[in-house]
Amino acid sequence: GGSQMVEGECMECGSMYEGNIQELGGMEDGHPIFGDLNFFTKYKIFGDNRPDNVAFEIYGDATLDWLVLLSNNILNIQTEWPMSQQSFDTYLLDKYGTYDVIYNTHHYETKQVVDSNGVIIVPQGLEVQQNYSVTYYDSGLGTEVTANNITDEITNYQYEEGIQDDKRNIFVLKPIYLNIVFNDLDDIMKYKQGGAQYVNPTLKQGDNIRLNE
């Protein structure tokens, strides 16, 4: 079916999804619904959930995994979808070599600095040197203030985890609008000889699909 899942890991999903989706990348340009955020709702990917898991949760149909990816213009699941915990651990060891290095400092970021009036002087999350400080005039106090010790260490692990967390925030098409997409699929897509094979349980295997420009 639409799911290629085995326990905790999708062994074939990377190549499967990449091959399936690469021909669909232009659909958002071919249908106005994909350019209007009113048709979508925010969704956060939890744990090791893959596109077919998300599709089943939202639509009750795992074979709509392609719609989840298309809604976010994801063409390569291996680089654009958050890794499973197992893949993430393997990636970290491959990149950094040892656990000690994984937890070494990657960079430092600012803590939020506000004056006595609650005005933000330095926002949180700016990448800076460890000894970064800021001096500013606090109008509420009527004096100049220097803020020290306003940085946090970000380890290599935290840095990489942040990248994965950013990928967990996606948009999904609201289920009530599914019929709009399905009814217009024939207008959006056309069959063309040659090109990559898109294999999906909802489509006949062997069909070649190409999007209208």
Side-chain angles (χ1 to χ4, degrees):
S3 173
Q4 296 289 326
M5 295 294 291
V6 294
E7 186 65 24
E9 183 70 14
C10 182
M11 302 302 290
E12 301 175 3
C13 284
S15 59
M16 178 186 71
Y17 283 120
E18 185 175 355
N20 287 355
I21 294 299
Q22 62 184 351
E23 291 297 307
L24 295 173
M27 187 188 285
E28 69 275 12
D29 297 324
H31 196 297
I33 196 171
F34 288 100
D36 189 342
L37 288 180
N38 291 321
F39 291 100
F40 295 84
T41 187
K42 291 181 179 179
Y43 179 90
K44 188 174 182 69
I45 302 164
F46 286 103
D48 290 353
N49 277 356
R50 310 307 301 173
D52 52 347
N53 305 134
V54 175
F56 183 79
E57 178 183 340
I58 300 298
Y59 308 117
D61 185 351
T63 66
L64 295 181
D65 46 11
W66 60 270
L67 182 59
V68 173
L69 297 176
L70 183 64
S71 297
N72 295 278
N73 199 28
I74 293 176
L75 304 181
N76 185 336
I77 189 174
Q78 292 176 314
T79 59
E80 298 177 81
W81 190 270
M83 298 179 188
S84 68
Q85 189 62 50
Q86 179 181 341
S87 296
F88 184 56
D89 292 342
T90 300
Y91 167 78
L92 290 178
L93 277 177
D94 286 345
K95 181 172 181 177
Y96 294 102
T98 68
Y99 285 107
D100 285 342
V101 177
I102 289 174
Y103 290 99
N104 281 351
T105 302
H106 185 276
H107 66 274
Y108 290 87
E109 292 183 359
T110 54
K111 301 175 184 178
Q112 181 174 275
V113 177
V114 297
D115 67 12
S116 61
N117 294 316
V119 176
I120 296 176
I121 304 300
V122 179
Q124 182 180 1
L126 297 180
E127 186 172 338
V128 293
Q129 297 296 315
Q130 180 181 7
N131 60 353
Y132 175 81
S133 65
V134 61
T135 300
Y136 60 94
Y137 181 78
D138 191 319
S139 60
L141 299 177
T143 186
E144 195 173 73
V145 176
T146 297
N148 296 300
N149 301 317
I150 56 172
T151 61
D152 284 323
E153 176 195 20
I154 304 298
T155 64
N156 290 320
Y157 184 92
Q158 291 173 304
Y159 167 74
E160 298 289 353
E161 189 177 45
I163 293 175
Q164 296 302 310
D165 283 346
D166 287 344
K167 296 177 183 180
R168 294 186 179 279
N169 298 308
I170 63 172
F171 289 93
V172 292
L173 183 71
K174 295 175 183 177
I176 59 174
Y177 297 119
L178 279 177
N179 285 340
I180 295 178
V181 175
F182 292 155
N183 290 342
D184 291 348
L185 273 177
D186 289 338
D187 297 329
I188 301 169
M189 307 170 82
K190 63 182 179 181
Y191 293 92
K192 177 182 177 183
Q193 294 300 317
Q197 298 288 329
Y198 179 91
V199 181
N200 184 285
T202 60
L203 297 171
K204 185 175 66 179
Q205 185 167 350
D207 283 343
N208 297 295
I209 295 177
R210 193 72 185 176
L211 298 170
N212 286 323
E213 298 299 331

